[in-house]
Amino acid sequence: QSYSMNSSDEIASLSKPGRKRKRDAHGHLPVKRNQPSLETKGVPQLKLLCGTDILESFAVPNLWKLEDISEILTDYGMVCITRAGNKAQQFIYESDLLWSHKENIHLAEEWISNDTSATKIRRALRRHQSVRYLVPDSVLAYIEKHKLYTAESEEQNSKVIP
């Protein structure tokens, strides 16, 4: 399915009066970005910053509780960094829960292609591969000091997290 909107009510609720919304390269209407109100403009906000993989993990059975997803999106919102080839807008459209909170989901398109991800860094560390130049030296020192992301620590965590 493609990300499209057929209802004129949905289109009207997403656009400013008298202005056409730009479509992306695939002809999809973008998810609306929140505009700060006068009361909250300049006030720091806490949001979940993540990649598209976390957004898509919301659909993995038994990984997230629906009430936790709803709380994150209602009370905080999220900023999702999208990479080339990800279909975050389509994923949001196809999920009733995400669609109902679309006002609090901000998509930030990665404009410089970078294939490095936290998942790949953790995998490299588990495999005893170097991640030098991928993370700051202080972060690498912290990871090594606390023995994070080793095969052993991942095994221990798998027993804690159902």
Side-chain angles (χ1 to χ4, degrees), residues 8 11 30-31 43 71 96 114 124 130 133 153:
S8 61
I11 293 172
V31 175
V43 176
E71 180 180 351
D96 290 337
N114 179 357
S130 175
Y133 307 115
S153 70

Side-chain angles (χ1 to χ4, degrees), residues 65-91:
K65 293 179 182 175
L66 290 178
E67 58 266 21
D68 291 342
I69 297 170
S70 186
E71 180 180 351
I72 290 167
L73 297 175
T74 301
D75 297 345
Y76 305 101
M78 68 187 303
V79 176
C80 183
I81 309 299
T82 64
R83 292 189 172 102
N86 289 56
K87 296 182 176 153
Q89 290 180 342
Q90 180 177 347
F91 187 78

Side-chain angles (χ1 to χ4, degrees), residues 16-34:
K16 293 181 180 179
R19 294 186 66 185
K20 284 190 175 182
R21 298 198 67 213
K22 292 183 181 179
R23 294 180 180 265
D24 68 12
H26 304 290
H28 301 147
L29 287 172
V31 175
K32 183 180 177 185
R33 274 61 169 175
N34 274 349

Side-chain angles (χ1 to χ4, degrees), residues 34-45:
N34 274 349
Q35 298 297 321
S37 68
L38 292 176
E39 299 89 42
T40 61
K41 192 171 184 173
V43 176
Q45 297 178 1

Side-chain angles (χ1 to χ4, degrees), residues 89-117:
Q89 290 180 342
Q90 180 177 347
F91 187 78
I92 293 166
Y93 180 75
E94 291 175 353
S95 164
D96 290 337
L97 178 60
L98 296 178
W99 185 254
S100 69
H101 294 285
K102 67 186 176 296
E103 301 297 322
N104 285 336
I105 301 173
H106 306 271
L107 300 178
E109 205 170 303
E110 184 179 57
W111 57 278
I112 296 178
S113 183
N114 179 357
D115 195 31
T116 305
S117 69

